[in-house]
Every structure is written in structure tokens, then in C-alpha cells.
Amino acid sequence: METTPLDLQYPIGRAPARPEAPLTPAERATYIEQIAALPAQLTAAARQAGGVRLEQPYRPGGWTGRQVIHHVADVHLNFYLRYRLALTEDNPTIKPFDLNAWAELPDVAATPITVSLALLEALHTRWVTLLWHLTEEQWQRTFYHPAYDITYTLDQALVQYSWHGRHHLAHVELLSREG
């Protein structure tokens, strides 16, 4: 079967729909475990792809593997902060940012990916610890995303953020299959 540009852009499929009902504890556990596993999986995928391939885009017009890895660290730091804001403020409005502009900043080209992989390891340790300790009531706390004009519960964000990590992991894994 031929790989299409959409398959390369969304190798695990598009982001799932936001769940309407609160997640069950078992559903949450699955998503939390996916977030917990991501740093080691991304590190393994980066090693498998190797340095030269990480400097190449995973698809025509896409980011390089290096940009993807730094992007995941940048965005997951923001995701963690969104949780902390939602837990300490009433429906805070989060600050959107230009993902493509961030991917072009000079630190992305100048910083070894091992720095962002180490950041992800430490960040996910903190984030996962927080997630395991939330109460049922806390999972229903919200934040507002002005770029999408959507209010997310922390349950809904968990589903989206788990997908985000797996989505970009698949991009790095695509690089290890090339050539």
C-alpha cells in the first residue's frame, strides 16, 4: 500500500475528538501511562534514526527530526503549565504561540537533542506525578484556548496531549524507516 502525504503528516491518525463525558479512572490510567512512556520512547526512536536522519524532514515540507524533538519539549512544557494554571485559577485563558516560529528559533539548531530529551524526562516525571494525584473534581477543572475558542477540561486535555506525544513519536520513527 502506498504512503500518502496525509499518512506522513498524521501517521497515527488525526487527533481524537474531545470526550464529552468524564474519563473513567481506567481510561485516564491508559493516557497517563502513554505520557509517562514518551520520553524513553522518543529517546529510543531518536537513537534508531541517528544523527544524520534527524537533520532531515520526516515528510516533504515537514520539520526535521531535530525540530520535532525540540517542539515536543517546548509544547509539553506548555501543556504541563496549562494543567498547573487550571488547577490554581478559575478557567484561565492560556497563551497560544506560533509553533512554526518557535521551531525556527536559533536554539533549535544550536542545542543538542539530548538536552530536550533530558528536559522531557524530568518534565514528564513531574507532570505524571501531578496527573496520578488529581481528584475526580480536579479532572473537570478547565482552561480556555483562545486560538480555538474552546474550553477544555483536564480530562479532555489529557486525551489530546497523550495523542500529541504519540503523533510526534511516530514522526521520528518514520525517519528511522527511511533509506
Side-chain angles (χ1 to χ4, degrees), residues 55-112:
E55 300 303 328
Q56 300 169 352
Y58 64 89
R59 67 177 172 88
W63 288 337
T64 66
R66 166 186 291 279
Q67 287 173 306
V68 169
I69 290 167
H70 289 307
H71 162 78
V72 172
D74 290 342
V75 174
H76 285 210
L77 180 58
N78 276 277
F79 292 170
Y80 172 65
L81 294 174
R82 290 174 186 177
Y83 267 78
R84 295 184 69 81
L85 288 169
L87 291 166
T88 59
E89 300 177 19
D90 289 330
N91 195 39
T93 298
I94 59 97
K95 172 84 171 89
F97 54 95
D98 183 336
L99 303 173
N100 288 315
W102 280 38
E104 295 298 329
L105 288 172
D107 65 316
V108 171
T111 304

Side-chain angles (χ1 to χ4, degrees), residues 42-154:
L42 195 56
T43 298
R47 281 190 185 122
Q48 180 69 29
V52 172
R53 287 194 186 126
L54 290 174
E55 300 303 328
Q56 300 169 352
Y58 64 89
R59 67 177 172 88
W63 288 337
T64 66
R66 166 186 291 279
Q67 287 173 306
V68 169
I69 290 167
H70 289 307
H71 162 78
V72 172
D74 290 342
V75 174
H76 285 210
L77 180 58
N78 276 277
F79 292 170
Y80 172 65
L81 294 174
R82 290 174 186 177
Y83 267 78
R84 295 184 69 81
L85 288 169
L87 291 166
T88 59
E89 300 177 19
D90 289 330
N91 195 39
T93 298
I94 59 97
K95 172 84 171 89
F97 54 95
D98 183 336
L99 303 173
N100 288 315
W102 280 38
E104 295 298 329
L105 288 172
D107 65 316
V108 171
T111 304
I113 63 162
T114 54
V115 173
S116 282
L117 292 169
L119 173 60
L120 272 173
E121 182 66 38
L123 174 62
H124 278 227
T125 298
R126 284 283 306 272
W127 189 14
V128 167
T129 299
L130 176 66
L131 296 175
W132 282 125
H133 287 88
L134 295 183
T135 65
E136 286 295 321
E137 181 179 280
Q138 287 172 317
W139 281 108
Q140 301 319 306
R141 292 193 57 89
T142 60
F143 63 83
Y144 174 70
H145 197 307
Y148 302 132
D149 191 27
I150 295 174
T151 296
Y152 289 89
T153 66
L154 293 184

Side-chain angles (χ1 to χ4, degrees), residues 7-8 31 39 75 94 112 139 156:
D7 293 334
L8 295 175
Y31 293 119
V75 174
I94 59 97
W139 281 108
Q156 291 169 331

